[in-house]
Amino acid sequence: MTTNGDGSRPEGPDDVKRPQPPGEAPPRLLTRRRFLGAGAAVAAGWAGGWGGWGGRWLGAAAPPIAGTIVGASAALGHRLRGGAGAFPPPGETRDVGTVIVGGGIAGLAAGWKLAKCGVRDLELLELEPETGGNARWGEAGATAYPWGAHYVPLPTAHSTAVRELFAELGVIREYREGAPVYDERYLCHAPEARLFQHGRWNSGIFPKSGMTPEEAAEVERFRRATAAWRAWRDARGRPAFALPMEYGSDDAEVTALDRISIGDWLERAGYRSARLRWYVEYCCRDDYGCTLDTTSAWAALHYFCGRGLEDPEVLTWPEGNGWLARRMAARLAGRITTGAVVFRVAPTEAGGGATVDYLDARRGATVRLRARHVIYALPRFTARHVVAGGAADDSGIGDFTYAPWAVANLHVDRAPAGAAWDNVIHGSDSLGYIVATHQALTAAPGPSVLTWYRPFTGADPAAERRGMLERRWEDWRDAALGDLRRPHRDIDARVRRLDVMLWGHAMIRPVPGFVWGAARRAAAATACGEEAGASAGGGGCGPILFAHSDLSGLSLFEEAQYRGVRAAEAVLRRDGVPFVSSLAPRG
C-alpha cells in the first residue's frame, strides 16, 4: 500500500484496500488515535453474547491455568545498590574497542549503526537473558508475542534513522516520488481498535456511545486546537512537536506547556467533557504511564501532534517491537553477552579509555573489559550506582522518574471472535489487551496470545514498584482475569497459561517541568559531547557516552533509536571512521 510522504493515506478511488475474506465488505480502518468516526458496535459479530467467545467452554468448568512471573531480573539489578564492593574482583580482563552497556532499543540501535559502518571490535552487555529492553518478546507454538512495546507509527520525515532501518528490513519496500511505500503485511490490519463500554463493544477507542451534541462540539474544538499546534511553526520553521523531539521547537510559547499538567491545560481551556478527559488520560497512561495530573501539557500535546497527523497508521508485528529488536540484534551476532550485570564503568586514570566490570551471572565470575569507548545505554538513574569518576552528573537524577508496568500474556485456545488488534475496557485501570495473531492472514481461528497491559500511575512510583514486587503470581492471575471477565465472561475457560512480566522502570515519566527542565536538558546536552565540539573529535564527556530514551523524556522507539544512533556516530567520528549520518540535520 502506498502512503503519502507524511504518512497519511492517499484518498480517492486509487486508495488501495486491504484484503478481506470473499463476500465480506472491506473493513474501515480504525486507528488508535481516531476518536470521531463510525460509532457502530462490532459486538454483533461477537459469538458469545456480551462477553463470550462462544463454543464448547461456555458455562463449563474451566481447566487449570499454569503460569509464572518470568521477569524482569529485579534481584540481579538491585545488587547494584551495594556498589562495586558487593561483587567479586575481576578474574578475567579483555580489550574491546567499544562496549555498549544495555541491550534495549538504544543499545541495539548503537550496535546496529556501528556494525553497518564496518565496526567489528565491539561487545554489547545485557543484564537479562535476552536483548530488547521493554521491546522483549516471547514465543509459543501458536505465535510470537510482545512483553512490552508493540507498535511504531509510520515514521515522520525527521525520523530518518527509523526509515533507514525499515528500508533495510523490508518494512519500507520502496519510495515513490519521495514517499515511502510500506509492506502491507506490517501495517496494522482492520479492525485496529475497539472499546468495551455499557456492556458492548464499539469501534475505535474514543467513548462515542451516548455523546451529546455539546460534547461533540467540545471534542471538535479539541481537534481544532491540536490541528493548530500541528500547523504551528517558530521563526526558524521548526514545528512545535517533532519526533525525535530534538527537531521540535524550543520557543518559549512551546516550552511553557511543559510547566503545567495536561489536566490544568484542559481546565484552563474549558474542556469539561468527561469522555474527552478520559480519552486524553487513556493516551497519557498508554504512552507515558501517567495521568492527567502527572503528564505535562507539552508531553500530552506531543502525543497528538508529534507525528504531524491527527491519525497516523501504525506498524505492528506478532511480537511487537521485538520484531525490530531481534533483527537489530542479528547484526551483532557473536558480540552480545547476556546475563551480564554491569556494576562499574570508569574512565581510566591515564585517560583515553574506560574499564567496564560486569558479573557473568551464569558463572558467578567478574570480567573486566578495557575499552576505548563505552556507550552507556541504560536508564539514567542507574548511572549513579555504576558510572564512576564524575562521568555522569547525578545532581538532577531525582528528576528522572519511571513508571512501573505489569504485562500478562494469556495463552488462549483461540482469539475472541470479532476481536480488534487493540481491545480497551472503559473504566479499567488496565489498558486492555492486544491480540498477537491479529496480523495473521489465516481465516480459521486457532490458538492465540492476548497481551494485557497494566500501568501503575500513582504519584509515588517507588511505592508502586514495591507493591508490584510483593504480589504473587496468583495475585496477578486474579487481577488480569478479573479485569477481562467484564467483556469476556468465560475467559477463565479459554486460558491455558498466564505468565507475567513486571517492569519496575518501564518508561520515563514526562511529569510537568521535566522535559524542558534543567536536569534532562543538561543530561541530553552532554550525553555524546556534540555540543562541546563534535568536529574536533567527539566532545567533552570523555570515553563514556550516554544513550537512552529518557534523555528525550519520552519512552518511544524513535527516541531510543535516535539516542543510540547519535552515540554511535560520536564514536565513529572519534575513531575517524567515514560514515553517512543516519540522522536528519537539525535546524
Side-chain angles (χ1 to χ4, degrees):
M1 165 182 176
T2 305
T3 67
N4 296 326
D6 61 3
S8 65
R9 303 181 72 202
E11 298 179 350
D14 294 330
D15 189 7
V16 179
K17 302 298 181 184
R18 301 192 177 165
Q20 66 276 344
E24 290 189 14
R28 181 180 177 186
L29 183 69
L30 296 170
T31 65
R32 74 188 290 107
R33 294 172 187 245
R34 175 175 291 132
F35 52 82
L36 283 181
V42 297
W46 191 252
W50 72 266
W53 260 258
R56 68 184 188 281
W57 285 111
L58 191 60
I65 298 173
T68 188
I69 297 175
V70 300
S73 303
L76 277 177
H78 288 169
R79 288 189 63 177
L80 297 176
R81 296 171 176 173
F87 296 87
E92 173 188 347
T93 299
R94 292 188 283 110
D95 292 323
V96 181
T98 299
V99 174
I100 301 170
V101 181
I105 294 301
L108 290 172
W112 167 77
K113 180 62 181 180
L114 291 172
K116 280 195 70 169
C117 294
V119 176
R120 297 291 178 265
D121 188 12
L122 65 89
E123 185 168 348
L124 185 148
L125 305 175
E126 167 57 39
L127 168 72
E128 299 291 343
E130 304 90 18
T131 56
N134 66 12
R136 279 177 65 185
W137 71 96
E139 293 187 78
T143 181
Y145 51 87
W147 276 120
H150 54 278
Y151 70 96
V152 179
L154 299 190
T156 66
H158 288 126
S159 299
T160 51
V162 182
R163 289 188 174 186
E164 180 182 330
L165 173 66
F166 284 1
E168 177 182 304
L169 300 180
V171 177
I172 294 176
R173 294 168 50 199
E174 60 179 320
Y175 283 82
R176 294 179 188 165
E177 299 180 355
V181 179
Y182 291 89
D183 190 316
E184 187 75 18
R185 294 174 296 172
Y186 307 129
L187 290 163
C188 188
H189 301 168
E192 184 177 322
R194 63 179 183 167
L195 177 70
F196 187 79
Q197 185 185 24
H198 304 315
R200 65 186 300 182
W201 289 105
N202 293 280
S203 61
I205 292 178
F206 188 83
K208 300 178 290 292
S209 178
M211 185 161 57
T212 66
E214 292 77 16
E215 289 176 310
E218 188 168 301
V219 170
E220 180 59 29
R221 183 162 65 89
F222 179 80
R223 292 182 66 185
R224 289 197 302 269
T226 53
W229 274 116
R230 285 193 294 274
W232 187 96
R233 295 293 183 272
D234 66 13
R236 295 166 57 183
R238 297 174 299 178
F241 309 96
L243 275 171
M245 58 87 66
E246 294 277 4
Y247 294 89
S249 177
D250 59 359
D251 187 90
E253 182 181 357
V254 176
T255 60
L257 294 167
D258 189 51
R259 295 196 290 270
I260 63 171
S261 72
I262 186 59
D264 287 341
W265 185 87
L266 291 169
E267 187 68 27
R268 294 178 188 183
Y271 294 107
R272 304 285 190 266
S273 167
R275 69 184 68 235
L276 175 62
R277 295 174 72 89
W278 175 89
Y279 177 73
V280 174
E281 183 164 77
Y282 172 85
C283 296
C284 293
R285 292 194 302 132
D286 182 42
D287 259 29
Y288 309 133
C290 292
T291 65
L292 293 181
D293 293 330
T294 57
T295 307
S296 86
W298 183 94
L301 290 170
H302 188 284
Y303 177 95
F304 293 100
C305 306
R307 292 183 169 90
L309 296 169
E310 175 185 351
D311 186 30
E313 288 196 65
V314 302
L315 297 151
T316 189
W317 304 265
E319 62 269 57
N321 293 2
W323 191 90
L324 300 169
R326 186 200 305 245
R327 283 153 179 78
M328 285 193 287
R331 269 198 173 269
L332 305 175
R335 286 165 286 171
I336 294 176
T337 301
T338 57
V341 187
V342 177
F343 61 85
R344 188 173 188 273
V345 177
T348 58
E349 292 183 5
T355 57
V356 177
D357 293 344
Y358 74 89
L359 176 72
D360 184 330
R362 295 182 183 86
R363 298 187 292 126
T366 293
V367 178
R368 171 166 290 175
L369 301 180
R370 294 182 300 213
R372 294 193 308 276
H373 315 288
V374 176
I375 297 177
Y376 192 83
L378 296 179
R380 186 71 177 185
F381 79 93
T382 65
R384 61 181 165 183
H385 301 295
V386 177
V387 181
D393 178 9
D394 64 357
S395 58
I397 200 66
D399 292 350
F400 286 73
T401 63
Y402 301 79
W405 284 56
V407 179
N409 271 303
L410 293 80
H411 299 249
V412 296
D413 58 1
R414 56 176 166 165
W421 169 66
D422 196 0
N423 305 266
V424 179
I425 305 169
H426 189 271
S428 171
D429 288 333
S430 80
L431 298 171
Y433 67 90
I434 63 166
V435 180
T437 52
H438 181 76
Q439 296 295 97
L441 298 178
T442 56
S448 187
V449 177
L450 312 182
T451 305
W452 177 82
Y453 293 88
R454 170 67 159 90
F456 288 85
T457 59
D460 185 351
E464 298 274 35
R465 278 189 285 276
R466 289 192 295 270
M468 279 202 335
L469 294 175
E470 290 169 359
R471 292 184 176 95
R472 305 167 303 153
W473 171 80
E474 291 81 3
D475 299 323
W476 294 111
R477 175 200 63 193
D478 294 346
L481 293 176
D483 187 48
L484 293 174
R485 285 188 196 111
R486 280 182 57 198
H488 307 311
R489 62 188 179 188
D490 58 348
I491 180 70
D492 299 66
R494 291 299 180 185
V495 179
R496 300 295 176 268
R497 183 174 185 86
L498 190 158
D499 294 318
V500 178
M501 181 80 75
L502 303 178
W503 296 104
H505 304 85
M507 53 176 56
I508 189 70
R509 298 167 74 236
V511 299
F514 175 69
V515 174
W516 289 100
R520 187 209 66 82
R521 296 182 75 177
T526 59
C528 297
E530 281 90 339
E531 281 69 12
S535 61
C541 59
I544 304 170
L545 303 97
F546 296 88
H548 195 272
S549 62
D550 59 7
L551 295 171
S552 297
L554 303 171
S555 184
L556 302 173
F557 180 89
E558 299 94 329
E559 298 294 350
Q561 192 217 26
Y562 170 78
R563 296 294 172 181
V565 170
R566 186 169 170 181
E569 293 190 355
V571 168
L572 294 170
R573 277 192 294 270
R574 293 178 179 193
D575 281 351
V577 177
F579 69 96
V580 176
S581 179
S582 297
L583 306 177
R586 283 193 291 164

